[in-house]
Amino acid sequence: MVQLPPRKQNSSSGLGARGIYEDLREQIVAEVYGRGDVLPSARALAVELGVSRTTVTSAYEQLAAEGFVVIRHGARPRVAIKIAHSEPREVLHTAGEPHSLSAFGERLRSRAIPMRVPSEKLVADFRYGDMSAFDFPTLAWRKAMNDAALGRPPKLSYGEPCGLIRLRTALQGYLWRARSIRCEVGEIVIVNGSQQGLDLCARLLLDEGDGFAIEEPCYPMARSVFEMTGAIAAPVEVDAEGIRADLLADVGARLAYVTPSHQFPLGSVMSMGRRQQLLRWAEEKRAYIVEDDYDSEYRFDMNPIPPLRALGGASNVIYIGTVSKTLSPTLRIGYVVIPRVLQEVFSQAKRLTDRHAPMLEQEALATLVETGVYESHVRKARRQNARRRATLLDALHAEFRDLVRVEGAEAGLHVVVWFRDMPPSMATSFIERAASLGVGIYSISPHYFDQTLDRRCLGLVMGYASLTESQIHRGLKLLRRAYEDAVSCCDVSVAVR
């Protein structure tokens, strides 16, 4: 008879159909019952186990459905000759290298892309990209989402790959008002955040072995997404006027990725002369420019300069925007303004990628833009972040004075802080000491291609949009303590010579 292992009285599976099925399956896989062996009838097994015949029958039917046994009317169940799932358990549970990966998969596996680490326990986390939950227009968004859900169409179906026409029309007007960009509705593609926009550009415009120009230092996630195609990066120096467009003449590139409104991470704003020079290069080389306008809404001590897409001769500029820095990074809504000649291929690529972005969120955002709530919220967020920025700059001066130099404070939601008397080699100890005191700080080094480059002092990328003014003050006081502890362990006067 079937030898079912003894079970604990409070076993989750007990001797129900599921438990009987699992025990029989285990014995068949272990070849306690060989292929072709006959099992007890449902009636006999039910009597032996003290359960109903229906329970045993259900277990046999599940085994038959999975190919472990064969059931014929009037005959006892028989173990299948060819068992579909009879792999040895050690094979089933052994973790090893994949048998094979695509070239993309191999590149991805060989390159470690840093992941975010939760930091809820920190007193102050100066990580760039985080936003304050208190800034989010919760009531307006909830009402817009409710209206979108209640106003659902009579049938639910897939939408337009490039996005809801209503939202694209609303964004067409917004881009003209806010960024002086004139475009057709058909040139706007709604994407799941700016990262998907970058991914579409990479896959549609670059092949393995192609060159692409990118700022040095740069946004690492953009660099990674382009390199995963097998394309080869050509880093181009950045100075106070943005990317050195004059250095592009000798660069063989099919694409240039730039952040002209607020260079990431150094914060410089590309001058008009550089913009014109970059556009001429792209026209002469028949290359595309990917313009990432990721936080253009935040301008403080400067007059706005029109984006590349708004200038004459910008027919080969792909403009990427997002609501991650105005509403929330959790929404995953961005938009790409593409040249007319790329409309069809972008539409097809978006359809193959994910069909379309979530429809309810698109409807809600369209409502906010149409009613003016979105632009009102942006103005409010700009004022709030201007206060945070001023608090950060004042606290840096109060705690460090001439020990630091601040870059990129004129726009955006982060600054770069250079510690004059601290060499880059001290980054790890400084960051670890700060974390032990409850402060999250992040080195600028990962944004450079050559992280061993002989920069004279350590730099930090410090975001502030998720912090209260009191958190900023408290965080900077603790950071000063971390600084003193770090330098006391090292003769920095020798290290920086």
Side-chain angles (χ1 to χ4, degrees):
M1 279 304 214
V2 177
Q3 301 298 315
L4 297 182
R7 291 179 174 272
K8 294 180 181 179
Q9 189 172 0
N10 295 325
S11 172
S12 59
S13 53
L15 280 181
R18 183 70 184 178
I20 295 170
Y21 151 77
E22 289 176 349
D23 288 335
L24 286 171
R25 180 184 184 278
E26 184 175 339
Q27 292 186 51
I28 293 170
V29 169
E31 296 186 349
V32 173
Y33 278 91
R35 301 180 186 186
D37 285 356
V38 176
L39 296 175
S41 68
R43 183 188 301 276
L45 187 55
V47 171
E48 180 179 348
L49 299 177
V51 298
S52 71
R53 182 180 177 183
T54 302
T55 298
V56 176
T57 299
S58 178
Y60 277 157
E61 288 175 347
Q62 182 63 35
L63 288 167
E66 295 184 11
F68 286 98
V69 303
V70 176
I71 299 176
R72 292 187 177 88
H73 182 68
R76 289 161 60 185
R78 184 181 297 273
V79 178
I81 300 299
K82 295 181 179 180
I83 300 175
H85 301 88
S86 62
E87 299 90 344
R89 281 187 172 268
E90 60 268 20
V91 175
L92 283 172
H93 297 283
T94 297
E97 294 295 322
H99 290 300
S100 63
L101 289 174
S102 67
F104 174 89
E106 290 292 350
R107 285 189 290 268
L108 195 59
R109 183 170 61 173
S110 65
R111 176 169 180 170
I113 299 176
M115 302 293 288
R116 294 175 64 94
V117 178
S119 54
E120 288 79 3
K121 295 183 180 180
L122 294 176
V123 174
D125 188 2
F126 291 95
R127 184 191 299 274
Y128 170 76
D130 291 350
M131 307 292 293
S132 172
F134 297 103
D135 289 356
F136 187 77
T138 303
L139 295 178
W141 182 259
R142 183 173 66 185
K143 182 179 184 305
M145 284 290 285
N146 287 341
D147 291 345
L150 293 172
R152 62 185 182 276
K155 66 176 181 178
L156 302 178
S157 60
Y158 295 108
E160 166 64 32
C162 291
L164 193 70
I165 289 293
R166 179 185 169 209
L167 175 58
R168 293 154 69 194
T169 302
L171 286 173
Q172 179 192 33
Y174 169 74
L175 288 169
W176 166 236
R177 295 189 300 273
R179 303 297 287 136
S180 303
I181 291 176
R182 292 184 180 273
C183 62
E184 300 174 2
V185 172
E187 294 175 312
I188 299 176
V189 179
I190 306 301
V191 290
N192 284 291
S194 60
Q195 192 65 30
Q196 187 184 46
L198 293 173
D199 180 61
L200 290 172
C201 291
R203 288 192 286 152
L204 293 174
L205 303 177
L206 292 173
D207 287 319
E208 185 171 358
D210 286 342
F212 68 93
I214 190 168
E215 299 161 328
E216 168 71 331
C218 66
Y219 174 46
M221 289 286 281
R223 172 190 171 185
S224 294
V225 78
F226 293 134
E227 287 186 329
M228 287 307 106
T229 66
I232 301 170
V236 181
E237 179 187 349
V238 169
D239 62 18
E241 293 186 59
I243 192 170
R244 288 279 308 277
D246 58 303
L247 300 178
L248 288 169
D250 299 326
V251 174
R254 292 181 58 180
L255 178 153
Y257 170 81
V258 293
T259 53
S261 295
H262 187 227
Q263 198 279 328
F264 192 86
L266 294 180
S268 60
V269 178
M270 191 182 296
S271 66
M272 181 59 73
R274 291 278 178 86
R275 293 176 190 237
Q276 297 289 0
Q277 195 174 10
L278 180 60
L279 289 171
R280 286 195 299 271
W281 168 83
E283 184 66 27
E284 292 171 1
K285 299 293 185 179
R286 298 183 61 82
Y288 282 103
I289 298 171
V290 177
E291 177 181 17
D292 192 345
D293 213 21
Y294 66 99
D295 64 359
S296 61
E297 291 84 0
Y298 298 101
R299 300 179 296 272
F300 304 114
D301 296 343
M302 54 170 288
N303 294 320
I305 297 178
L308 294 167
R309 187 62 171 75
L311 301 177
S315 60
N316 51 359
V317 174
I318 299 170
Y319 176 92
I320 299 179
T322 178
V323 301
S324 295
K325 306 301 183 290
T326 52
L327 288 174
S328 169
T330 64
L331 290 181
R332 310 312 306 140
I333 299 180
Y335 46 90
V336 183
V337 182
I338 56 177
R340 191 178 307 173
V341 296
L342 296 178
Q343 286 180 226
E344 181 62 25
V345 69
F346 263 81
S347 176
Q348 292 294 340
K350 186 69 170 71
R351 182 169 177 265
L352 288 174
T353 300
D354 63 359
R355 289 280 191 161
H356 55 74
M359 299 298 288
L360 286 181
E361 285 83 350
Q362 290 190 66
E363 290 277 7
L365 180 58
T367 297
L368 265 59
V369 178
E370 289 170 347
T371 59
V373 171
Y374 178 72
E375 286 169 85
S376 175
H377 166 73
V378 169
R379 290 192 292 271
K380 180 180 178 182
R382 188 183 296 129
R383 291 193 297 271
Q384 290 169 323
N385 282 305
R387 288 193 291 270
R388 293 182 180 113
R389 164 187 166 274
T391 299
L392 177 63
L393 296 178
D394 290 345
L396 282 167
H397 178 72
E399 297 296 334
F400 293 96
R401 297 191 181 275
D402 294 337
L403 293 174
V404 299
R405 175 173 58 87
V406 179
E407 275 190 296
E410 295 81 7
L413 296 176
H414 76 278
V415 298
V416 175
V417 182
W418 298 99
F419 288 76
R420 298 180 189 275
D421 296 330
M422 184 175 282
S425 60
M426 292 181 61
T428 300
S429 60
F430 186 28
I431 291 170
E432 289 177 352
R433 181 54 186 155
S436 71
L437 295 175
V439 182
I441 53 174
Y442 306 91
S443 172
I444 197 173
S445 292
H447 299 276
Y448 284 88
F449 281 75
D450 185 0
Q451 296 185 26
T452 65
L453 192 67
D454 184 24
R455 289 182 296 278
R456 300 300 297 169
C457 58
L458 182 149
L460 298 180
V461 180
M462 300 187 70
Y464 53 82
S466 66
L467 302 174
T468 64
E469 294 177 45
S470 62
Q471 285 176 317
I472 293 172
H473 278 297
R474 178 62 176 155
L476 265 294
K477 287 183 180 297
L478 292 171
L479 188 62
R480 175 63 196 226
R481 282 177 52 190
Y483 174 86
E484 291 173 350
D485 290 347
V487 298
S488 67
C489 298
C490 174
D491 184 357
V492 296
S493 63
V494 173
V496 298
R497 276 207 297 268

